[in-house]
Every structure is written in C-alpha cells, then in structure tokens.
Amino acid sequence: MIERILLATGNAGKAAELARLLGCPVLPIAQWEPPVEDGDTFLANARIKALAGAAQAPGEWVVADDSGIEVDALDGAPGVRSARYGGDGLDDVGRTAALLQAVSSADDRAARFRCVLVAIGPDGQELHADGTLEGSLAHEPRGANGFGYDPVLIPTGETRTCGELTADEKNAISHRGAAARALRDTLGL
Ligand code: IMP
C-alpha cells in the first residue's frame, strides 16, 4: 500500500496536479536539488530526476516526469529540448513563434506532446509509464489557456488548439493524464 509519493520537483503546483491525477497524496521533495538533465530521451531525463529524487528522499516512493513536444517535420525536435527551444532568452510566446517559423515551409504538420513518468520505490524497484497527445501544428497561436506549446497544438479530432480547451478538456486527453493513469494502474493505486 503506497501512502504517499514524493515528486522530484520543487514545484508544489506540479505535485498537486499529479495528486489529483493519481488519487494519492503527492508532495514535492523538500529542498529539491535538480540534477543536470542531459539525457537524449524523455525516459532518460525522467530517470535522471527519479534517481536523484530517490537519493534525496530515501525510503520513499519517488516519481519524476519529463515531457515536451515532438514535431515530425523536425525529426522529433524540439523533444527533450522543448523548454529551451530557440535559445535560453525566449519565453513561451517566443519559443512557440520559433517553432512555427521552423515548420513554415513544411507540408507535414504532425506533432505530439509526450510525457514519461518514472517511479522508484523504497527498495529501488523502478516503473515506467508514458502518454501521448497526438495532433498537428496550427498556423498561428490560438487561445490563452494552458502553457508552453498549448496555443499551437491541435489535438487529433479537434479544431481548437490546446490553448482553447478548458483545463478539464485538456486533462481528459493529455499526455500527462494518460501517463498518470497508466502509472496509477501499474502502482495499483
Ligand atoms: P519539462 O518541464 O522539462 O518537462 O519541460 C517540458 C516543456 O515541454 C515545457 O516547458 C513546455 O514547453 C513543453 N510542454 C510539456 N507539456 C506541455 C503541455 O501540456 N502543453 C504545452 N507545452 C508542454
């Protein structure tokens, strides 16, 4: 029986969101010291954070996540570099503009959000879960909801971007929600 999970983050909001999705108490790790995320895949980076979390919170169940957007016309980029795409000086609006510029002449606008969760148990057991939100890139940003690349990803079957969906609508189909449901099932929560 898992009574609580520590999330490898200092962000209480992220922990509260995961708690809602898992139906189990989730707390941020106190005095979280983030490791260098130098993996080439979402799984590699989630593992780096989960292992750092397990070292910082021994005896606990620790979960870490990594997520981002993959664009087919860019061979999967920005991928693990989603948060830094276009250079460190950019904000979400600038990064989104840089991404649309990079695909401006591409016919193929297929893209997806991906989320990988890694859980490490008190005995060192390791579990993985992932989720995907398939879609295509809009031609210009639309909608003020959400964050990051939400204004430019149109989920498959939708006409609206994620930035135009309500939080509940997005949670019902999101990569993060799917990964959390998969982890909840794997952990038997
Ligand atoms: P992380 O915090 O290292 O996982 O970086 C994730 C980055 O991917 C964020 O900074 C966003 O730019 C992007 N991203 C991940 N999930 C979403 C989402 O649900 N909507 C929009 N952008 C996202």
Side-chain angles (χ1 to χ4, degrees), residues 14 37 49 66-69 82-83 113 147-150 170 175-176:
K14 272 195 169 185
E37 293 177 41
K49 286 181 271 192
D66 201 47
S67 62
I69 187 168
S82 293
F113 287 141
F147 70 102
Y149 299 93
D150 279 337
K170 185 180 163 201
H175 50 312
R176 207 167 284 105

Side-chain angles (χ1 to χ4, degrees), residues 37-60:
E37 293 177 41
D38 55 4
D40 290 335
T41 62
F42 296 125
L43 176 59
N45 279 337
R47 282 194 81 232
I48 287 169
K49 286 181 271 192
L51 290 167
Q56 291 175 39
E60 300 275 359

